[in-house]
Amino acid sequence: MARHEASASAAAAAPGVDFHLPDEILAVIPTNPYEQLDVARKITSMAIASRVSRLEADAARLRRDLADRDRAEAELRARLADSDARLAAALDENAKLAKERDSLAATTKRLARNLAKVLAF
């Protein structure tokens, strides 16, 4: 209780200063201003360490997410390359079949003309 009274009197000594600290905290805060600053420094260090730890965890999670997306992108690019290769092969086959069709059509015309000549004799 002596610390509480000292802290309360210190707060009362500073006019217009009201920190709204609970009695439980006021009871354990040192009365010496330098000791108070040391406690504040330790609390600040703990808060910063906690924040840094949380940010590092977030960064690790984001790196994992990025790696997952990179893998998905690589997979999609591989599938796209495969699809492009199959499309090119299909177009090439289509062109060959079109040439063969045209050749067969020309042969059919020629044979039809020859048949007409033979039947005319």
Side-chain angles (χ1 to χ4, degrees):
M1 241 339 152
R3 282 190 181 180
H4 174 65
E5 290 171 3
S7 296
S9 65
V17 178
D18 186 13
F19 294 108
H20 302 290
L21 294 175
D23 289 340
E24 296 83 18
I25 294 177
L26 290 175
V28 295
I29 291 179
T31 57
N32 182 320
Y34 293 105
E35 290 176 6
Q36 289 175 354
L37 288 173
D38 191 45
V39 169
R41 181 190 56 78
K42 289 177 183 176
I43 291 171
T44 303
S45 294
M46 290 171 51
I48 290 171
S50 174
R51 177 77 172 145
V52 166
S53 177
R54 192 169 77 238
L55 288 172
E56 286 172 343
D58 287 348
R61 180 186 50 79
L62 290 171
R63 280 198 277 307
R64 280 192 309 272
D65 290 349
L66 181 60
D68 290 345
R69 289 184 182 162
D70 285 347
R71 278 191 293 278
E73 178 191 6
E75 181 182 321
L76 290 172
R77 286 185 184 276
R79 288 174 54 191
L80 178 62
D82 184 50
S83 295
D84 282 347
R86 286 187 287 136
L87 176 62
L91 290 173
D92 187 46
E93 182 67 21
N94 191 25
K96 287 178 185 176
L97 290 173
K99 284 181 183 178
E100 188 176 342
R101 180 199 64 214
D102 294 344
S103 174
L104 288 173
T107 301
T108 303
K109 274 186 180 179
R110 187 174 41 87
L111 289 174
R113 279 195 311 264
N114 289 344
L115 178 62
K117 288 179 186 177
V118 169
L119 291 177
F121 282 121

